[in-house]
Short mmCIF file of all heavy atoms in Angstrom, two decimals:
data_model
loop_
_atom_site.label_atom_id
_atom_site.label_comp_id
_atom_site.label_asym_id
_atom_site.label_seq_id
_atom_site.Cartn_x
_atom_site.Cartn_y
_atom_site.Cartn_z
N ILE A 1 -2.90 2.98 -0.54
CA ILE A 1 -3.67 3.14 0.68
C ILE A 1 -5.05 2.48 0.59
O ILE A 1 -5.63 2.08 1.60
CB ILE A 1 -3.82 4.64 1.04
CG1 ILE A 1 -4.42 4.84 2.43
CG2 ILE A 1 -4.63 5.38 0.00
CD1 ILE A 1 -3.55 4.37 3.56
N TYR A 2 -5.59 2.31 -0.63
CA TYR A 2 -6.90 1.67 -0.78
C TYR A 2 -6.78 0.18 -1.13
O TYR A 2 -7.74 -0.44 -1.59
CB TYR A 2 -7.71 2.39 -1.87
CG TYR A 2 -8.09 3.80 -1.49
CD1 TYR A 2 -7.31 4.88 -1.88
CD2 TYR A 2 -9.23 4.05 -0.72
CE1 TYR A 2 -7.65 6.18 -1.53
CE2 TYR A 2 -9.57 5.35 -0.35
CZ TYR A 2 -8.77 6.41 -0.76
OH TYR A 2 -9.10 7.69 -0.40
N GLU A 3 -5.62 -0.38 -0.91
CA GLU A 3 -5.32 -1.76 -1.30
C GLU A 3 -6.40 -2.76 -0.92
O GLU A 3 -6.78 -3.63 -1.71
CB GLU A 3 -3.99 -2.18 -0.65
CG GLU A 3 -3.65 -3.64 -0.79
CD GLU A 3 -2.52 -4.07 0.14
OE1 GLU A 3 -2.13 -3.29 1.02
OE2 GLU A 3 -2.05 -5.21 -0.02
N HIS A 4 -6.91 -2.67 0.31
CA HIS A 4 -7.85 -3.68 0.79
C HIS A 4 -9.29 -3.40 0.42
O HIS A 4 -10.18 -4.20 0.71
CB HIS A 4 -7.72 -3.84 2.30
CG HIS A 4 -6.44 -4.50 2.72
ND1 HIS A 4 -6.13 -5.79 2.38
CD2 HIS A 4 -5.38 -4.03 3.43
CE1 HIS A 4 -4.94 -6.11 2.88
NE2 HIS A 4 -4.46 -5.06 3.51
N ILE A 5 -9.54 -2.27 -0.24
CA ILE A 5 -10.90 -1.97 -0.70
C ILE A 5 -10.92 -2.21 -2.20
O ILE A 5 -10.93 -1.31 -3.03
CB ILE A 5 -11.31 -0.54 -0.32
CG1 ILE A 5 -11.10 -0.32 1.18
CG2 ILE A 5 -12.79 -0.30 -0.67
CD1 ILE A 5 -11.35 1.08 1.65
N SER A 6 -10.86 -3.49 -2.53
CA SER A 6 -10.81 -3.94 -3.92
C SER A 6 -11.96 -4.90 -4.17
O SER A 6 -12.29 -5.73 -3.32
CB SER A 6 -9.48 -4.64 -4.20
OG SER A 6 -9.54 -5.39 -5.39
N TYR A 7 -12.56 -4.78 -5.36
CA TYR A 7 -13.68 -5.64 -5.72
C TYR A 7 -13.32 -6.60 -6.85
O TYR A 7 -14.20 -7.17 -7.49
CB TYR A 7 -14.89 -4.76 -6.12
CG TYR A 7 -15.08 -3.60 -5.18
CD1 TYR A 7 -15.06 -2.29 -5.65
CD2 TYR A 7 -15.25 -3.81 -3.82
CE1 TYR A 7 -15.22 -1.22 -4.78
CE2 TYR A 7 -15.40 -2.74 -2.94
CZ TYR A 7 -15.38 -1.44 -3.43
OH TYR A 7 -15.52 -0.39 -2.57
N CYS A 8 -12.02 -6.78 -7.06
CA CYS A 8 -11.58 -7.67 -8.15
C CYS A 8 -10.46 -8.60 -7.68
O CYS A 8 -9.59 -8.98 -8.47
CB CYS A 8 -11.15 -6.85 -9.36
SG CYS A 8 -9.82 -5.67 -9.04
N GLY A 9 -10.46 -8.92 -6.39
CA GLY A 9 -9.49 -9.88 -5.89
C GLY A 9 -8.16 -9.25 -5.48
O GLY A 9 -8.03 -8.03 -5.33
N GLN A 10 -7.17 -10.10 -5.29
CA GLN A 10 -5.85 -9.68 -4.84
C GLN A 10 -5.18 -8.75 -5.85
O GLN A 10 -5.20 -9.00 -7.05
CB GLN A 10 -4.96 -10.92 -4.63
CG GLN A 10 -3.54 -10.61 -4.17
CD GLN A 10 -3.48 -10.04 -2.76
OE1 GLN A 10 -4.29 -10.38 -1.91
NE2 GLN A 10 -2.52 -9.16 -2.52
N LEU A 11 -4.62 -7.69 -5.35
CA LEU A 11 -3.98 -6.71 -6.22
C LEU A 11 -2.49 -7.02 -6.39
O LEU A 11 -1.87 -7.68 -5.56
CB LEU A 11 -4.13 -5.31 -5.64
CG LEU A 11 -5.55 -4.83 -5.36
CD1 LEU A 11 -5.55 -3.37 -4.95
CD2 LEU A 11 -6.44 -5.03 -6.58
N THR A 12 -1.93 -6.50 -7.46
CA THR A 12 -0.49 -6.61 -7.71
C THR A 12 0.17 -5.28 -7.39
O THR A 12 -0.31 -4.22 -7.79
CB THR A 12 -0.22 -6.96 -9.18
OG1 THR A 12 -0.83 -8.22 -9.47
CG2 THR A 12 1.28 -7.04 -9.45
N SER A 13 1.27 -5.33 -6.65
CA SER A 13 2.05 -4.13 -6.38
C SER A 13 3.13 -3.99 -7.43
O SER A 13 3.79 -4.98 -7.79
CB SER A 13 2.69 -4.19 -4.99
OG SER A 13 3.56 -3.09 -4.80
N ILE A 14 3.34 -2.78 -7.91
CA ILE A 14 4.40 -2.58 -8.90
C ILE A 14 5.77 -2.83 -8.30
O ILE A 14 6.74 -3.09 -9.01
CB ILE A 14 4.31 -1.16 -9.53
CG1 ILE A 14 5.14 -1.11 -10.81
CG2 ILE A 14 4.70 -0.09 -8.52
CD1 ILE A 14 4.88 0.11 -11.67
N ALA A 15 5.84 -2.84 -6.98
CA ALA A 15 7.11 -3.14 -6.31
C ALA A 15 7.50 -4.60 -6.47
O ALA A 15 8.65 -4.98 -6.21
CB ALA A 15 7.02 -2.79 -4.82
N SER A 16 6.57 -5.45 -6.90
CA SER A 16 6.85 -6.88 -7.02
C SER A 16 7.58 -7.25 -8.31
O SER A 16 7.99 -8.40 -8.47
CB SER A 16 5.54 -7.68 -6.94
OG SER A 16 4.70 -7.39 -8.05
N PHE A 17 7.78 -6.29 -9.21
CA PHE A 17 8.47 -6.59 -10.47
C PHE A 17 9.98 -6.44 -10.27
O PHE A 17 10.46 -5.36 -9.90
CB PHE A 17 7.98 -5.66 -11.59
CG PHE A 17 6.55 -5.93 -11.97
CD1 PHE A 17 5.51 -5.23 -11.36
CD2 PHE A 17 6.24 -6.90 -12.91
CE1 PHE A 17 4.19 -5.49 -11.68
CE2 PHE A 17 4.91 -7.17 -13.24
CZ PHE A 17 3.89 -6.47 -12.63
N PRO A 18 10.74 -7.50 -10.49
CA PRO A 18 12.17 -7.48 -10.18
C PRO A 18 12.96 -6.42 -10.94
O PRO A 18 13.98 -5.93 -10.43
CB PRO A 18 12.64 -8.90 -10.57
CG PRO A 18 11.58 -9.45 -11.44
CD PRO A 18 10.31 -8.82 -11.01
N GLU A 19 12.50 -6.02 -12.13
CA GLU A 19 13.24 -5.01 -12.88
C GLU A 19 13.18 -3.63 -12.22
O GLU A 19 13.94 -2.73 -12.58
CB GLU A 19 12.72 -4.93 -14.32
CG GLU A 19 11.25 -4.62 -14.48
CD GLU A 19 10.40 -5.87 -14.64
OE1 GLU A 19 10.60 -6.82 -13.86
OE2 GLU A 19 9.53 -5.89 -15.53
N LEU A 20 12.27 -3.47 -11.23
CA LEU A 20 12.17 -2.20 -10.52
C LEU A 20 12.66 -2.31 -9.08
O LEU A 20 12.37 -1.43 -8.26
CB LEU A 20 10.73 -1.69 -10.54
CG LEU A 20 10.15 -1.35 -11.91
CD1 LEU A 20 8.73 -0.80 -11.76
CD2 LEU A 20 11.02 -0.35 -12.65
N LYS A 21 13.40 -3.34 -8.79
CA LYS A 21 13.92 -3.52 -7.43
C LYS A 21 14.73 -2.30 -7.02
O LYS A 21 15.54 -1.78 -7.78
CB LYS A 21 14.78 -4.78 -7.35
CG LYS A 21 15.27 -5.08 -5.93
CD LYS A 21 15.97 -6.43 -5.88
CE LYS A 21 16.58 -6.68 -4.50
NZ LYS A 21 15.58 -6.62 -3.42
N ASP A 22 14.50 -1.84 -5.80
CA ASP A 22 15.20 -0.68 -5.23
C ASP A 22 14.83 0.63 -5.91
O ASP A 22 15.56 1.62 -5.80
CB ASP A 22 16.72 -0.86 -5.25
CG ASP A 22 17.19 -2.02 -4.40
OD1 ASP A 22 16.53 -2.28 -3.36
OD2 ASP A 22 18.17 -2.69 -4.76
N ARG A 23 13.68 0.64 -6.61
CA ARG A 23 13.25 1.89 -7.25
C ARG A 23 11.79 2.22 -6.98
O ARG A 23 11.26 3.17 -7.55
CB ARG A 23 13.48 1.79 -8.77
CG ARG A 23 14.95 1.78 -9.15
CD ARG A 23 15.13 1.55 -10.63
NE ARG A 23 14.30 2.46 -11.40
CZ ARG A 23 13.94 2.25 -12.67
NH1 ARG A 23 14.31 1.14 -13.28
NH2 ARG A 23 13.21 3.13 -13.32
N VAL A 24 11.15 1.44 -6.11
CA VAL A 24 9.74 1.68 -5.80
C VAL A 24 9.58 2.00 -4.31
O VAL A 24 10.18 1.34 -3.46
CB VAL A 24 8.86 0.46 -6.14
CG1 VAL A 24 7.41 0.71 -5.75
CG2 VAL A 24 8.95 0.15 -7.63
N VAL A 25 8.79 3.03 -4.05
CA VAL A 25 8.40 3.38 -2.68
C VAL A 25 6.92 3.06 -2.53
O VAL A 25 6.09 3.61 -3.27
CB VAL A 25 8.65 4.87 -2.37
CG1 VAL A 25 8.19 5.19 -0.95
CG2 VAL A 25 10.10 5.24 -2.58
N ILE A 26 6.59 2.18 -1.60
CA ILE A 26 5.19 1.87 -1.33
C ILE A 26 4.68 2.79 -0.22
O ILE A 26 5.34 2.97 0.80
CB ILE A 26 5.02 0.40 -0.90
CG1 ILE A 26 5.27 -0.54 -2.07
CG2 ILE A 26 3.61 0.15 -0.34
CD1 ILE A 26 5.17 -2.02 -1.71
N ILE A 27 3.50 3.35 -0.46
CA ILE A 27 2.81 4.15 0.54
C ILE A 27 1.55 3.41 0.95
O ILE A 27 0.77 2.96 0.10
CB ILE A 27 2.42 5.54 -0.01
CG1 ILE A 27 3.65 6.31 -0.52
CG2 ILE A 27 1.66 6.34 1.04
CD1 ILE A 27 4.62 6.75 0.55
N ASN A 28 1.34 3.27 2.26
CA ASN A 28 0.14 2.60 2.74
C ASN A 28 -0.12 3.04 4.17
O ASN A 28 0.61 3.88 4.70
CB ASN A 28 0.28 1.07 2.62
CG ASN A 28 -1.04 0.37 2.37
OD1 ASN A 28 -2.09 0.80 2.86
ND2 ASN A 28 -1.01 -0.71 1.60
N GLY A 29 -1.13 2.48 4.77
CA GLY A 29 -1.46 2.86 6.14
C GLY A 29 -2.73 2.18 6.60
O GLY A 29 -3.31 1.36 5.89
N VAL A 30 -3.19 2.56 7.79
CA VAL A 30 -4.33 1.87 8.40
C VAL A 30 -5.65 2.62 8.25
O VAL A 30 -6.70 2.11 8.61
CB VAL A 30 -4.07 1.62 9.91
CG1 VAL A 30 -2.88 0.69 10.10
CG2 VAL A 30 -3.84 2.94 10.66
N SER A 31 -5.60 3.83 7.72
CA SER A 31 -6.79 4.70 7.72
C SER A 31 -7.99 4.08 7.04
O SER A 31 -9.10 4.06 7.61
CB SER A 31 -6.47 6.03 7.04
OG SER A 31 -5.53 6.77 7.79
N LYS A 32 -7.84 3.60 5.82
CA LYS A 32 -8.98 3.15 5.03
C LYS A 32 -9.37 1.70 5.36
O LYS A 32 -10.55 1.40 5.57
CB LYS A 32 -8.67 3.28 3.54
CG LYS A 32 -8.04 4.59 3.13
CD LYS A 32 -8.90 5.81 3.40
CE LYS A 32 -8.24 7.07 2.87
NZ LYS A 32 -9.00 8.29 3.13
N ALA A 33 -8.39 0.80 5.39
CA ALA A 33 -8.69 -0.62 5.58
C ALA A 33 -9.25 -0.93 6.96
O ALA A 33 -10.08 -1.83 7.12
CB ALA A 33 -7.44 -1.46 5.33
N TYR A 34 -8.79 -0.20 7.97
CA TYR A 34 -9.17 -0.52 9.35
C TYR A 34 -10.04 0.57 10.00
O TYR A 34 -10.24 0.55 11.20
CB TYR A 34 -7.92 -0.75 10.20
CG TYR A 34 -7.05 -1.87 9.70
CD1 TYR A 34 -5.97 -1.61 8.85
CD2 TYR A 34 -7.31 -3.21 10.03
CE1 TYR A 34 -5.17 -2.64 8.37
CE2 TYR A 34 -6.52 -4.24 9.55
CZ TYR A 34 -5.45 -3.95 8.72
OH TYR A 34 -4.67 -4.97 8.24
N ALA A 35 -10.54 1.51 9.19
CA ALA A 35 -11.38 2.60 9.71
C ALA A 35 -10.65 3.34 10.83
O ALA A 35 -11.17 3.51 11.94
CB ALA A 35 -12.73 2.07 10.18
N MET A 36 -9.43 3.79 10.54
CA MET A 36 -8.59 4.44 11.55
C MET A 36 -8.09 5.80 11.07
O MET A 36 -6.96 6.18 11.34
CB MET A 36 -7.41 3.53 11.91
CG MET A 36 -7.79 2.25 12.59
SD MET A 36 -6.37 1.15 12.90
CE MET A 36 -5.45 2.10 14.12
N THR A 37 -8.95 6.55 10.39
CA THR A 37 -8.50 7.83 9.81
C THR A 37 -7.92 8.78 10.87
O THR A 37 -6.91 9.42 10.64
CB THR A 37 -9.65 8.52 9.07
OG1 THR A 37 -10.80 8.57 9.92
CG2 THR A 37 -10.00 7.76 7.79
N GLY A 38 -8.59 8.87 12.01
CA GLY A 38 -8.15 9.81 13.03
C GLY A 38 -6.93 9.38 13.82
O GLY A 38 -6.33 10.19 14.53
N TRP A 39 -6.53 8.14 13.69
CA TRP A 39 -5.36 7.65 14.41
C TRP A 39 -4.07 8.16 13.79
O TRP A 39 -3.02 8.18 14.45
CB TRP A 39 -5.35 6.11 14.44
CG TRP A 39 -6.50 5.50 15.16
CD1 TRP A 39 -7.77 5.31 14.67
CD2 TRP A 39 -6.52 5.01 16.50
NE1 TRP A 39 -8.56 4.72 15.62
CE2 TRP A 39 -7.81 4.53 16.76
CE3 TRP A 39 -5.55 4.92 17.50
CZ2 TRP A 39 -8.17 3.97 17.98
CZ3 TRP A 39 -5.90 4.35 18.73
CH2 TRP A 39 -7.20 3.89 18.96
N ARG A 40 -4.11 8.51 12.51
CA ARG A 40 -3.01 9.13 11.78
C ARG A 40 -1.75 8.26 11.75
O ARG A 40 -0.67 8.66 12.20
CB ARG A 40 -2.66 10.52 12.34
CG ARG A 40 -3.81 11.49 12.43
CD ARG A 40 -4.66 11.60 11.16
NE ARG A 40 -3.89 11.95 9.98
CZ ARG A 40 -4.03 11.33 8.80
NH1 ARG A 40 -4.87 10.32 8.66
NH2 ARG A 40 -3.29 11.71 7.78
N ILE A 41 -1.89 7.08 11.17
CA ILE A 41 -0.75 6.19 11.00
C ILE A 41 -0.67 5.73 9.54
O ILE A 41 -1.58 5.08 9.02
CB ILE A 41 -0.83 4.94 11.91
CG1 ILE A 41 -0.78 5.34 13.38
CG2 ILE A 41 0.30 3.96 11.59
CD1 ILE A 41 0.56 5.88 13.85
N GLY A 42 0.43 6.09 8.91
CA GLY A 42 0.74 5.62 7.56
C GLY A 42 2.20 5.26 7.51
O GLY A 42 2.95 5.48 8.48
N PHE A 43 2.64 4.68 6.38
CA PHE A 43 4.05 4.33 6.30
C PHE A 43 4.53 4.41 4.86
O PHE A 43 3.74 4.37 3.90
CB PHE A 43 4.31 2.93 6.86
CG PHE A 43 3.75 1.79 6.04
CD1 PHE A 43 4.43 1.29 4.94
CD2 PHE A 43 2.53 1.20 6.38
CE1 PHE A 43 3.92 0.23 4.19
CE2 PHE A 43 2.02 0.14 5.63
CZ PHE A 43 2.71 -0.34 4.53
N CYS A 44 5.83 4.54 4.72
CA CYS A 44 6.47 4.31 3.43
C CYS A 44 7.43 3.15 3.59
O CYS A 44 8.06 2.98 4.64
CB CYS A 44 7.20 5.56 2.92
SG CYS A 44 8.72 6.00 3.79
N ALA A 45 7.49 2.31 2.56
CA ALA A 45 8.47 1.23 2.49
C ALA A 45 9.32 1.55 1.27
O ALA A 45 8.79 1.62 0.15
CB ALA A 45 7.78 -0.12 2.35
N ALA A 46 10.60 1.76 1.48
CA ALA A 46 11.41 2.38 0.44
C ALA A 46 12.80 1.78 0.36
O ALA A 46 13.26 1.09 1.29
CB ALA A 46 11.52 3.88 0.74
N PRO A 47 13.50 2.05 -0.74
CA PRO A 47 14.93 1.72 -0.78
C PRO A 47 15.61 2.32 0.45
O PRO A 47 15.21 3.39 0.94
CB PRO A 47 15.40 2.40 -2.07
CG PRO A 47 14.18 2.43 -2.93
CD PRO A 47 13.04 2.66 -1.99
#
C-alpha cells in the first residue's frame, strides 16, 4: 500500500519472482499514493 512513497527508487514486488508464480497475493490501493483515505478503495490481486 505504501509502494509509491519510496525514497530509494522503483521497488521490486515479490510477486515478480517466477518461482512464486500463483502463490503471491498483492494488496494495494489508492489511499496513500493519491491521498484518498476516505474514499475506501483497495484491492487484492491474487491467484
